[in-house]
């Protein structure tokens, strides 16, 4: 049976020292913005990966906007001889309500493209599953780090850009400066996580933007509230999911009438239905990110997005081959 992926919520708040080699900031009506990092972003079987270095050692990390904090794998800790933080431990909550206390290690220097951050204290834990890539996957980057920046996800161009944006005036026209029309929705912050209002079958739901989830997941309770029965779900295909709490649960792929986010309406979407022990009804996962150009502004509490033109990308790739 197929494993679905993972979801992680870490109770950990950090102050992240940041250094970067940056170009001169742009100024537009009192607005300053500059690109701090441009990371190669790729989708490996539903995992959104970026390359980083820790103490000069290259690894891949999962980009997880749904996780309150970051995570480093035990095998990386062992390889790099990372010291244990004697003053800090972390409580990790899994997607099915399990909790466990884990140790933290100290990372003096983490580099994301030309952006350097550190020192950091990060909890240690192994992901339940991850793709076999080189360099190896060594953990995940969560909201404790990501929320320090504006994030621009563009899987059509395979990049994740980290921006610093300062809006110092009401006249400030801040990025993104995209050519075609974009959607704008408000964020309802919950710690370092990004929560928005959406609709499934015209029923309002609270949704978490979770790039660490491999698909869009609707909670079982929400599906039942919408009017889907257990018999309906039994007739739908599914499998077993696993989280960082190492607990397993059954999930189903079910076709709904509609999913609405902002003014964008998707008809007859297939969503994953599984139990979620969380304050939200739904996870908006990496499959949604793959089909959209997304800008998350934690500071302005806004998400901007537009549908990716996959046909245009395919034509560009064909032209390159020719």
């Amino acid at each position: 049976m197929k494993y679905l992926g993972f979801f992680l919520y870490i109770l950990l708040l950090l102050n992240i020292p940041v250094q970067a080699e940056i170009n001169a900031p742009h100024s537009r009506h009192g607005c300053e913005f500059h690109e701090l990092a441009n990371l190669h972003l790729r989708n490996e079987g539903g995992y959104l990966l970026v390359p980083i270095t820790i103490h000069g050692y290259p690894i891949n990390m999962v980009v997880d906007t749904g996780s309150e904090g970051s995570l480093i794998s035990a095998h990386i800790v062992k390889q790099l001889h990372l010291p244990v933080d004697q003053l800090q431990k972390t409580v990790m909550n899994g997607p099915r309500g399990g909790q466990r206390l884990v140790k933290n290690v100290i990372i003096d220097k983490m580099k994301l493209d030309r952006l350097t951050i550190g020192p950091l204290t990060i909890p240690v834990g192994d992901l339940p599953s991850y793709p076999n890539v080189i360099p190896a996957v060594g953990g995940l980057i969560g909201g404790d780090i990501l929320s320090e920046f504006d994030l621009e996800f563009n899987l059509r161009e395979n990049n994740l850009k980290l921006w610093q944006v300062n809006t110092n005036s009401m006249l400030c026209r801040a990025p993104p400066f995209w050519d075609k029309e974009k959607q704008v929705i408000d964020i309802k912050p919950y710690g370092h996580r990004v929560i928005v209002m959406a609709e499934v079958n015209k029923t309002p739901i609270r949704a978490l933007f979770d790039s660490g989830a491999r698909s869009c997941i609707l909670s079982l309770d929400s599906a039942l509230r919408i009017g889907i029965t257990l018999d309906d779900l039994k007739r739908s295909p599914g499998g077993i999911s696993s989280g960082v709490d190492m607990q397993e649960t059954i999930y189903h792929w079910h076709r709904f009438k509609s999913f609405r986010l902002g003014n964008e309406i998707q008809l007859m979407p297939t969503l994953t239905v599984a139990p979620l022990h969380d304050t939200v009804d739904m996870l908006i996962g990496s499959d949604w990110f793959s089909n959209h150009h997304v800008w998350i502004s934690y500071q302005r509490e806004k998400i901007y997005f537009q549908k990716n033109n996959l046909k245009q990308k395919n034509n560009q790739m064909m032209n390159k081959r020719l």
Side-chain angles (χ1 to χ4, degrees), residues 85-244:
D85 187 343
Q86 302 296 337
L87 302 177
Q88 177 77 61
K89 291 185 178 180
T90 298
V91 176
M92 290 203 306
N93 292 341
R96 282 154 289 281
Q99 286 190 347
R100 58 195 178 105
L101 186 66
V102 301
K103 68 181 179 181
N104 281 35
V105 294
I106 297 172
I107 296 176
D108 289 328
K109 186 177 180 181
M110 179 185 293
K111 196 159 187 179
L112 297 83
D113 188 32
R114 59 186 181 276
L115 174 70
T116 301
I117 57 178
L120 309 171
T121 177
I122 292 184
V124 179
D126 290 321
L127 307 180
S129 60
Y130 49 85
N132 184 18
V133 294
I134 299 175
V137 175
L140 62 85
I141 301 175
D144 55 335
I145 293 176
L146 298 175
S147 63
E148 296 290 322
F149 315 100
D150 274 26
L151 309 177
E152 183 180 6
F153 290 83
N154 189 352
L155 276 159
R156 187 170 70 87
E157 301 296 335
N158 294 113
N159 58 47
L160 170 65
K161 295 182 179 180
L162 309 184
W163 292 83
Q164 185 177 28
V165 178
N166 297 315
T167 54
N168 303 315
S169 168
M170 293 181 64
L171 299 176
C172 173
R173 179 172 173 259
F177 305 120
W178 294 340
D179 293 335
K180 61 181 182 177
E181 188 174 342
K182 58 182 177 288
Q183 300 271 339
V184 184
I185 54 177
D186 292 328
I187 293 174
K188 297 181 181 295
Y190 188 80
H192 293 137
R193 304 195 298 165
V194 176
I195 296 175
V196 299
M197 294 305 299
E199 291 181 4
V200 174
N201 288 6
K202 298 185 178 180
T203 301
I205 60 166
R206 282 164 47 90
L208 174 70
F209 264 77
D210 187 0
S211 61
R214 296 174 66 190
S215 67
C216 290
I217 305 173
L218 184 69
S219 73
L220 176 60
D221 289 342
S222 297
L224 296 176
R225 188 176 74 246
I226 288 170
I228 308 303
T229 68
L230 292 177
D231 286 338
D232 293 332
L233 294 176
K234 287 178 182 178
R235 289 191 291 269
S236 301
I240 296 176
S241 65
S242 179
V244 292

Side-chain angles (χ1 to χ4, degrees), residues 8-14 62 64-72 90-92 121-123 139-146 192-193:
L8 170 68
Y9 176 59
I10 300 179
L11 298 177
L12 178 64
L13 299 178
L14 300 175
V62 177
D64 192 352
T65 58
S67 173
E68 182 74 14
S70 302
L71 183 75
I72 190 76
T90 298
V91 176
M92 290 203 306
T121 177
I122 292 184
L140 62 85
I141 301 175
D144 55 335
I145 293 176
L146 298 175
H192 293 137
R193 304 195 298 165

Side-chain angles (χ1 to χ4, degrees), residues 16-85:
I16 309 295
V18 175
Q19 300 175 348
E21 304 165 16
I22 57 177
N23 297 322
H26 305 273
S27 180
R28 190 178 297 210
H29 301 298
C31 180
E32 295 181 349
F33 54 93
H34 38 80
E35 179 188 303
L36 299 178
N38 186 348
L39 296 160
H40 180 71
L41 177 69
R42 70 185 192 275
N43 186 340
E44 290 284 349
Y47 297 93
L48 303 189
L49 304 181
V50 293
I52 71 163
T53 62
I54 294 178
H55 299 175
Y57 183 84
I59 61 175
N60 278 297
M61 296 283 271
V62 177
V63 182
D64 192 352
T65 58
S67 173
E68 182 74 14
S70 302
L71 183 75
I72 190 76
S73 296
H75 72 274
I76 297 296
V77 172
K78 183 177 180 180
Q79 280 184 325
L80 301 184
H81 305 287
L82 298 176
V84 174
D85 187 343

